[in-house]
Amino acid sequence: MPTASPARMDLTREGDTLTITGSGDWTAFSVDNIDVELRKAVENHTGAIHFDTGNVGVMDTAGAWLVERTRQAAQGKAFVHSDDDPSRVKLVSVLKPDAETRAPYLLQEEPLGLLGRFGKATSSAWSDIILAMNLIGAAIAGAQMKSGQKGGIRPISIIHQMDHMGLKAVPVISVMSFLIGMIIAQQGAYQLKVYGEELLTVSLVGILHFREIAVLLTAVMVAGRTGSAITAEIGTMKMREEIDALHVMGLNAVGVLILPRLVALIIVMPALVLLSAVTGIAGAMFVSDLYVGITPSQFMDALRTNVGPEFLIGGLIKAPFMAAVIGVISAVEGMKVGGSSESLGRHTTSAVVRSIFAVILMDGLFAIFFASIGY
């Protein structure tokens, strides 16, 4: 145990002012002999306090805490701390509670009510856009940051992500699309049966599913399944400081973690949309034969006659853009995760909600664009 000179203090009173003059070493090994005496002297004094530690030899956090504790006990009284050593003055100031500096800002957190919250949301959205642009740029730059090393894209990582995002999503996409196709065909046939135009159900299902439902349903399913997984994976890596470890190794974490996921998602999304379109038509064909009596051969003939490939192509064109939006939003939310599991859950939920909102908005913009060019 280190040896230390005993801590000493002299108490002098001049009028209403109590002067505390310290000497010796004020460290964790020596301040215990003055702790009780100092506490009683401050409690029994009702006037101003002057604390002088200029003659103290060595002071550590324990000694500085005695000064700060005295200041806190002197609330409502004049308190002055003097010391010739600025490092000791700074050490004492560091021990002040953070609440004293945060309180004035908390009082002004939302002075404008609804308008203030709108401004805060706008600022947060702009920050997310900047972060998204940075992520896209860093992903395109590649994995390596060391001089003379470029690229660093690992095809095996992209293939692994394609298996996770595409192949393992086939069952849920197929079942959901098959059921949605059945529902649309049944409802369409039920309404058109009144007019004796049950065969128009084929055109209704074909155009609606090829152009809108397949891509929108797939995008929503991907946002809920894959988008949440991207946010959770990146957020967990950030919580465990694995992303910081990649930076220490000289690697671009965005290029290593996010680029393979973006590339894989953009590749598999059109394939999943095509799968959704095929299984949706299969479900509609099954219901049409069962509910209306339209045989599969009649269904396919009407489909080829009335529904051209341009409707399917229109849906496939949207798929890569929606995949990119889902991937970027999910990655942004993952990079915003803090150090708690609560933050991880909150940002994972936010990623799914924002991705679904974005793909629906994008689908509406594509509908306006296609209508304006007559497609």
Side-chain angles (χ1 to χ4, degrees), residues 123-133 328 332-333 336 354:
S123 176
S124 176
W126 178 249
S127 299
D128 289 348
I129 293 174
I130 298 298
L131 178 58
M133 295 299 102
V328 170
V332 167
E333 293 297 325
K336 289 165 59 179
R354 292 189 177 190

Side-chain angles (χ1 to χ4, degrees), residues 94-330:
V94 167
L95 298 177
K96 293 182 179 180
D98 293 340
E100 295 186 5
T101 58
R102 288 200 298 260
Y105 298 97
L106 292 176
L107 294 176
Q108 304 175 10
E109 187 173 356
E110 292 187 1
L112 299 180
L114 181 61
L115 183 59
R117 290 193 292 271
F118 176 76
K120 186 177 180 180
T122 303
S123 176
S124 176
W126 178 249
S127 299
D128 289 348
I129 293 174
I130 298 298
L131 178 58
M133 295 299 102
N134 289 335
L135 289 180
I136 294 173
I140 294 175
Q144 300 290 344
M145 291 194 304
K146 297 178 180 179
S147 58
Q149 297 182 355
K150 298 181 179 179
I153 299 177
R154 298 180 59 203
I156 190 65
S157 298
I158 298 177
I159 294 173
H160 171 73
Q161 294 298 330
M162 289 175 62
D163 173 68
H164 177 69
M165 299 176 180
L167 190 60
K168 293 181 180 178
V170 167
V172 64
I173 296 293
S174 300
V175 172
M176 292 298 296
S177 299
F178 188 85
L179 294 176
I180 293 295
M182 291 175 59
I183 294 170
I184 295 175
Q186 190 274 335
Q187 290 296 316
Y190 178 78
Q191 299 298 330
L192 294 173
K193 192 175 183 180
V194 179
Y195 306 99
E197 297 290 346
E198 297 92 336
L199 197 58
L200 291 179
T201 304
V202 179
S203 300
L204 172 66
V205 174
I207 295 174
L208 187 60
H209 211 83
F210 282 165
R211 190 161 186 165
E212 299 293 340
I213 298 299
V215 63
L216 196 57
L217 176 65
T218 303
V220 171
M221 295 297 296
V222 168
R225 181 185 181 277
T226 304
S228 61
I230 292 175
T231 303
E233 290 169 359
I234 296 176
T236 303
M237 293 178 188
K238 195 166 184 293
M239 290 173 57
R240 295 177 177 176
E241 299 182 352
E242 296 177 17
I243 293 179
D244 295 333
L246 289 174
H247 285 301
V248 172
M249 294 168 60
L251 296 173
N252 175 12
V254 175
V256 173
L257 300 176
I258 297 177
L259 180 60
R261 289 170 169 81
L262 283 178
V263 174
L265 191 56
I266 292 173
I267 292 175
V268 302
M269 189 72 170
L272 291 177
V273 171
L274 182 61
L275 173 67
S276 176
V278 172
T279 53
I281 293 300
M285 186 186 304
F286 174 76
V287 168
S288 298
D289 186 19
L290 185 66
Y291 186 74
V292 186
I294 301 176
T295 63
S297 60
Q298 291 176 319
F299 189 98
M300 293 304 300
D301 290 340
L303 187 66
R304 283 192 295 266
T305 302
N306 301 319
V307 183
E310 66 273 10
F311 295 104
L312 179 60
I313 295 174
L316 294 176
I317 291 174
K318 305 175 189 178
F321 295 95
M322 291 187 176
V325 168
I326 294 171
V328 170
I329 291 176
S330 301

Side-chain angles (χ1 to χ4, degrees), residues 52-98:
D52 183 6
T53 56
N55 296 326
V56 173
V58 179
M59 177 185 287
D60 63 6
T61 308
W65 167 242
L66 293 184
V67 180
E68 171 58 22
R69 189 187 68 187
T70 304
R71 185 194 69 82
Q72 294 181 14
Q75 291 295 335
K77 312 170 189 176
F79 179 85
V80 177
H81 173 223
S82 60
D83 197 313
D84 297 332
D85 189 347
S87 63
R88 293 203 290 240
V89 176
K90 185 175 181 180
L91 177 61
V92 173
S93 65
V94 167
L95 298 177
K96 293 182 179 180
D98 293 340

Side-chain angles (χ1 to χ4, degrees), residues 4-10 21-27 30-31 33-34 52-60 88:
S5 175
R8 297 181 298 274
M9 69 175 183
D10 296 324
T21 304
S23 59
D25 293 339
W26 284 39
T27 66
S30 60
V31 296
N33 60 323
I34 64 170
D52 183 6
T53 56
N55 296 326
V56 173
V58 179
M59 177 185 287
D60 63 6
R88 293 203 290 240

